[in-house]
């Protein structure tokens, strides 16, 4: 059976969602589906233009077809290249033009390719491409966040009622749909997962030597983007409360968020900000780390209820003890004193104290890390895809 994965995303990209999409396409192929990933052929950054093999960059097998769809993309122009146009409605119009032209391309190719399943994280192109389809075909929307305004929520609900299945990454997202009348059997919670490579990292000493890190200094690591809701500002403030002998590696991020965090760090000797790094190099920092942190802010609903961060599962698979914000989204996987230490969000003193506790109590750190690694063993992309394929209830071939 053929699964068409629609992705209105830059591939490759510095962002997390293309990484998730690529892993899921590989995992769907591992379930015996003929997987085709149709992505937007967008104007990319200079760094990503140097990536000549997206499969190798993301660490996935070339088990599926990767097809770029043409679209009119002015987003980078008006946000990066020509900042004079980054004002008023111009950025929103650029996004809308790109979305509409990608959707038109998808309409043409999806009808030609005739997929048995159309799967997407992008509701608008998914809904339009599945309005006219063959009997027995399936459509599935994977939801990672929700619209905010009343008008956009009404349009969102109109669209999701026209797809067959909905996959969500947190229980709070599922509750939102059920409270608005969607049948429970149509909505599946499937948290994100960890790639197989994270379960088999190189030894700590080897990783530190490769990264030019001190072999004996305690190392606290954060991997991911630096959007304000990620809470890295709180982590930088926590670093200031600990001795300079405790090193912090903040791995990831692009301007302007990277500039903001570097300014906050103020040249502190114990804070290293690397900017964006390829996934394999980012995992090397996990291999080198003594503690990994998820300092998400409680100020936004996406952090409180809508996120299932890839970093959480990678931290767990890497066997690094975790300190995380005590938020409902993270408590779906993490439990205080069981597989992590949870602290009040946006509280740098509590974050610093929990980090210090793990660095001084080696027995506790080892127990939390061991428990987390054991529990994440089932949280692989292949198992996630297998659950989703079962949920789709695909018709059996004659």
């Amino acid at each position: 059976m053929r699964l068409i994965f629609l992705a209105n995303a830059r591939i490759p990209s510095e962002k997390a969602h293309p990484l998730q999409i690529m892993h899921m396409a590989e995992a769907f192929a591992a379930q015996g589906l003929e997987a085709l990933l149709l992505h937007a052929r967008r104007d990319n950054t200079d760094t990503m233009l140097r990536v000549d093999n997206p499969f190798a960059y993301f660490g996935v097998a070339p088990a599926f077809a990767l097809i770029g769809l043409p679209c009119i993309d002015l987003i980078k122009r008006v946000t990066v290249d020509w900042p004079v146009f980054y004002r008023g409605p111009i950025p929103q119009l650029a996004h809308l033009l790109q979305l509409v032209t990608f959707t038109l391309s998808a309409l043409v190719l999806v009808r030609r390719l005739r997929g048995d399943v159309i799967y997407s994280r992008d509701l608008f192109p998914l809904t339009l491409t599945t309005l006219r389809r063959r009997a027995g075909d399936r459509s599935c929307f994977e939801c990672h966040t929700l619209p905010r305004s009343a008008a956009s929520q009404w349009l969102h609900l109109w669209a999701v009622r026209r797809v067959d299945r909905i996959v969500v990454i947190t229980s709070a997202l599922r509750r939102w749909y059920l409270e608005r009348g969607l049948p429970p059997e149509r909505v599946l919670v499937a948290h994100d997962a960890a790639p197989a490579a994270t379960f088999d990292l190189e030894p700590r000493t080897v990783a530190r030597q490769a990264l030019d890190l001190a072999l004996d200094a305690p190392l606290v690591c954060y991997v991911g983007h630096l959007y304000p809701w990620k809470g890295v500002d709180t982590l930088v403030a926590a670093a200031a409360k600990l001795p300079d002998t405790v090193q912090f590696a903040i791995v990831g991020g692009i301007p302007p968020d990277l500039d903001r965090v570097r300014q906050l760090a103020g040249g502190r000797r114990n804070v290293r900000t690397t900017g964006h790094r390829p996934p394999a190099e980012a995992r090397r920092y996990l291999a080198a780390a003594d503690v990994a942190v998820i300092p998400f802010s409680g100020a936004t609903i996406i952090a409180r209820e809508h996120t299932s961060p890839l970093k959480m599962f990678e931290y767990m698979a890497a066997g690094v003890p975790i300190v995380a914000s005590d938020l409902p989204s993270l408590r779906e996987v993490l439990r205080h004193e069981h597989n992590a230490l949870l602290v009040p969000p946006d509280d740098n003193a509590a974050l610093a104290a929990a980090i210090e506790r793990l660095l001084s109590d080696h027995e506790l750190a080892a127990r939390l890390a061991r428990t987390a690694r054991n529990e994440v063993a089932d949280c692989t992309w292949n198992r996630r895809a297998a659950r989703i394929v079962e949920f789709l209830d695909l018709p059996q071939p004659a």
Side-chain angles (χ1 to χ4, degrees), residues 197-198 200-217 219 221 249 251 272 274 279-290 318 320:
T198 319
D200 189 25
L201 297 178
E202 61 196 343
R204 177 176 179 270
T205 301
V206 174
R208 291 201 175 198
Q209 288 174 336
L211 296 169
D212 193 27
L213 294 167
L215 298 182
D216 56 351
L219 178 66
C221 187
V251 183
R272 171 189 289 205
T274 71
E281 185 178 337
R283 292 189 196 106
R284 178 167 270 168
Y285 278 91
L286 290 183
D290 297 294
V320 185

Side-chain angles (χ1 to χ4, degrees), residues 184-198:
E185 63 272 14
R186 286 184 55 201
V187 188
L188 171 73
V189 177
H191 298 113
D192 277 321
T198 319

Side-chain angles (χ1 to χ4, degrees), residues 109-175:
L109 196 55
V110 165
R111 289 182 182 178
R112 183 181 303 169
L113 294 173
R114 298 174 65 86
D116 302 285
V117 182
I118 311 297
Y119 192 95
S120 185
R121 293 175 45 153
D122 301 291
L123 185 56
F124 179 68
L126 173 68
T127 305
L128 293 188
T129 54
T130 56
L131 286 178
R132 295 177 61 186
R133 51 187 166 154
R134 300 169 298 171
D137 288 352
R138 292 283 188 272
S139 60
C140 184
F141 171 56
E142 181 171 315
C143 177
H144 286 243
T145 191
L146 295 167
R148 297 181 183 179
S149 71
S152 57
Q153 287 184 10
W154 180 90
L155 185 60
H156 181 93
L157 288 169
W158 177 88
V160 296
R161 290 190 174 107
R162 282 152 180 80
V163 299
D164 298 301
R165 298 287 190 273
I166 304 167
V167 173
V168 297
I169 57 171
T170 69
S171 296
L173 289 169
R174 185 174 190 266
R175 284 196 303 272

Side-chain angles (χ1 to χ4, degrees), residues 244-261:
D244 283 350
T245 52
V246 179
Q247 297 294 302
F248 288 77
I250 298 174
V251 183
I254 57 177
D257 297 298
L258 179 59
D259 301 330
R260 185 193 78 252
V261 171

